[in-house]
Amino acid sequence: MLFSVLSSRVAKPLIARPAVQLFSSSPAPPPRGGAGLLQRLSSFVIGAGVTAIATQYYLFLEVREGNKLMLLKQKELETRIAKLEKK
């Protein structure tokens, strides 16, 4: 009941807006339609490029660390095999 009474009311502004602009001599230009196709494509390409560079850097670090680990394991295996051959 209370909700139906409140929802049926129409909100009215407290201060009416004047029909004439007071502080400018010419009306404001209408807003444009937003970003154009070229702006959207260039933003996408720049974002994709930055992401690709960051991804390439992190992949490089991962491969380098993996190579260090593989070389360490290879040396460990060589020392174990050398110890077994001496026996």
Side-chain angles (χ1 to χ4, degrees):
M1 172 91 179
L2 179 64
F3 180 66
S4 63
V5 171
L6 291 177
S7 64
S8 65
R9 294 184 184 180
V10 177
K12 295 181 183 179
L14 297 176
I15 300 173
R17 296 178 64 163
V20 180
Q21 290 183 343
L22 300 176
F23 297 109
S24 68
S25 59
S26 64
R32 295 187 66 198
L37 180 64
L38 184 61
Q39 291 173 334
R40 291 176 189 262
L41 285 176
S42 64
S43 295
F44 174 77
V45 168
I46 289 171
V50 169
T51 303
I53 290 171
T55 303
Q56 182 71 25
Y57 176 72
Y58 284 117
L59 285 174
F60 171 74
L61 290 179
E62 186 72 25
V63 167
R64 191 170 66 178
E65 291 298 318
N67 287 343
K68 286 180 184 178
L69 183 64
M70 293 298 284
L71 288 173
L72 181 66
K73 289 189 181 231
Q74 179 69 27
K75 286 182 182 179
E76 288 176 0
L77 285 174
E78 287 176 0
T79 55
R80 286 175 61 193
I81 290 173
K83 285 181 183 178
L84 288 173
E85 288 177 350
K86 287 183 182 178
K87 288 185 180 180

